[in-house]
Amino acid sequence: VLSVGSNNARIASFILRTGAAEKVSVTTVTMGGRNAADTANVALGTAFNNLYLSRNGVKASDTRITNTAEGIETTHVFNLTPPLELSSNEAVVVDLMGDVVTGALFPAGVGGSLVRIAAANGNAVNTGGAVAIAAVVNLRAVTLGVPTLTVAVDASMPTSAQHAAGEDPIVGAWRFSANAIEPIRVTQLRVSNTGVGASTDSILKDLKIFVGGVQTGSTIPVFDTSIASVAIFSGLNIVVPSGDAIVVTMKGTFNSHDAMPAGYSGQSVRAVVTVPAAITGAAADAIIAKGDRSGVYAGTPAAAAFAGNLQYMYRGVYQLALTSVGAPARGANEVAGRIALTAN
């Protein structure tokens, strides 16, 4: 599967192999497209531009510009410069490279459309006779798609709880999933706060993002009240494997009592990740993510917000527990039970 919008992508590969007779100089290779049923030719230009052949990562042919009138052609002749010389009984791998155009319409049937070698021509070096491949060869089926990032609240999202000053719990947990096109790399994440109370943005400090228990990106001091109570985590290096998912968590430290204004007790924070309708790479994007191979911006299913649960801050949190005193004896002033009161 190739990502729509990717540049200099490897579209197909093939092997040129010579016989035992003599050295061969290959001068041209003709390539084209076929529908998935292999019943009709299709134009490579409907999906690809700037096509060329490459060997060992080095450009080996001229470039076919298919956003011109050539785009409707179902075959393209690549002139090898210089000619590719193969000794007898030698095999070389050649790649068809090119850009996958935005809005590509390469016909997709079952298994996608096919890329074909229609011809390969050259000369025998010693005798000068013409050489060619014996028959057309269909290569890989090409399916086009867009890497898509899906976000959801993870099952490990913490429930609402009361926290004392100085605690540093997880306040949010989200599942990031990638479709099967390619891995997706997330480099920016904006987390907003929809907690309750006048001091909600100063309750939590030292905000951090973790993947697999390891912090990624920088620590953000507090939610920024100047831009709608958000924390912008840039410089992230989160890779979501293709066809798989990871859990992204956010932690923070509840501020000290002395650093808080009067009346803060009982106020709360709630971490929210918002997925945009489209990822553009703008600094204001809630998420910036690209296909890890293609470099194209990832798609999203739809705009949506995924909120955590309210986390409350108090000067102190007390826990009550009943403790056993055994069976009380008969008589006055006997201890019938005890309550343990523990302060954080």
Side-chain angles (χ1 to χ4, degrees):
V1 179
L2 294 175
S3 294
V4 173
S6 57
N7 295 321
N8 205 35
R10 185 170 60 184
I11 300 166
S13 298
F14 56 92
I15 296 174
L16 291 177
R17 189 187 306 274
T18 57
E22 62 178 296
K23 189 174 185 179
V24 170
S25 176
V26 182
T27 55
T28 63
V29 173
T30 303
M31 303 195 70
R34 295 283 286 176
N35 63 2
D38 196 19
T39 57
N41 294 328
V42 296
L44 291 176
T46 58
F48 309 110
N49 192 20
N50 299 320
L51 295 166
Y52 67 94
L53 299 180
S54 172
R55 182 190 175 200
N56 296 329
V58 178
K59 186 177 181 182
S61 75
D62 54 358
T63 300
R64 311 317 307 170
I65 310 297
T66 59
N67 61 358
T68 63
E70 188 178 352
I72 64 173
E73 301 295 330
T74 56
T75 58
H76 303 282
V77 178
F78 296 91
N79 298 295
L80 299 181
T81 50
L84 178 60
E85 294 195 348
L86 289 78
S87 300
S88 58
N89 291 320
E90 184 179 2
V92 297
V93 177
V94 180
D95 300 316
L96 174 63
M97 309 293 293
D99 302 335
V100 187
V101 300
T102 302
L105 298 173
F106 201 43
V110 178
S113 293
L114 304 170
V115 176
R116 155 181 286 190
I117 300 179
N121 300 95
N123 301 97
V125 173
N126 296 332
T127 62
V131 295
I133 59 173
V136 296
V137 179
N138 288 333
L139 304 177
R140 62 176 289 192
V142 174
T143 302
L144 305 178
V146 175
T148 300
L149 178 68
T150 302
V151 178
V153 171
D154 188 65
S156 63
M157 177 71 78
T159 58
S160 290
Q162 298 176 354
H163 303 277
E167 290 186 24
D168 60 343
I170 293 174
V171 296
W174 301 273
R175 178 170 291 270
F176 283 47
S177 305
N179 62 357
I181 302 295
E182 61 176 313
I184 294 175
R185 187 176 298 271
V186 180
T187 56
Q188 176 172 295
L189 180 64
R190 290 165 61 104
V191 181
S192 57
N193 172 30
T194 61
V196 179
S199 304
T200 178
D201 289 320
S202 57
I203 288 175
L204 202 66
K205 66 176 183 177
D206 298 336
L207 313 176
K208 306 178 182 72
I209 294 294
F210 290 83
V211 176
V214 178
Q215 183 179 354
T216 177
S218 302
T219 300
I220 306 298
V222 291
F223 286 106
D224 191 339
T225 57
S226 68
I227 47 175
S229 303
V230 302
I232 303 176
F233 297 92
S234 56
L236 301 177
N237 188 30
I238 300 174
V239 177
V240 186
S242 58
D244 206 345
I246 61 170
V247 177
V248 177
T249 59
M250 175 178 164
K251 295 182 68 175
T253 301
F254 282 92
N255 220 330
S256 66
H257 167 72
D258 293 338
M260 296 299 298
Y264 76 87
S265 187
Q267 296 184 29
S268 62
V269 294
R270 174 165 35 209
V272 181
V273 167
T274 300
V275 177
I279 297 174
T280 66
D285 271 2
I287 295 176
I288 296 179
K290 293 182 177 182
D292 201 33
R293 291 193 300 266
S294 66
V296 302
Y297 288 112
T300 62
F306 300 93
N309 296 302
L310 291 171
Q311 305 298 322
Y312 297 89
M313 178 181 177
Y314 290 88
R315 181 173 182 178
V317 178
Y318 298 90
Q319 297 177 340
L320 298 178
L322 293 174
T323 60
S324 175
V325 295
R330 294 175 62 111
N333 299 320
E334 290 294 331
V335 176
R338 290 191 177 91
I339 295 176
L341 181 63
T342 304
N344 288 50

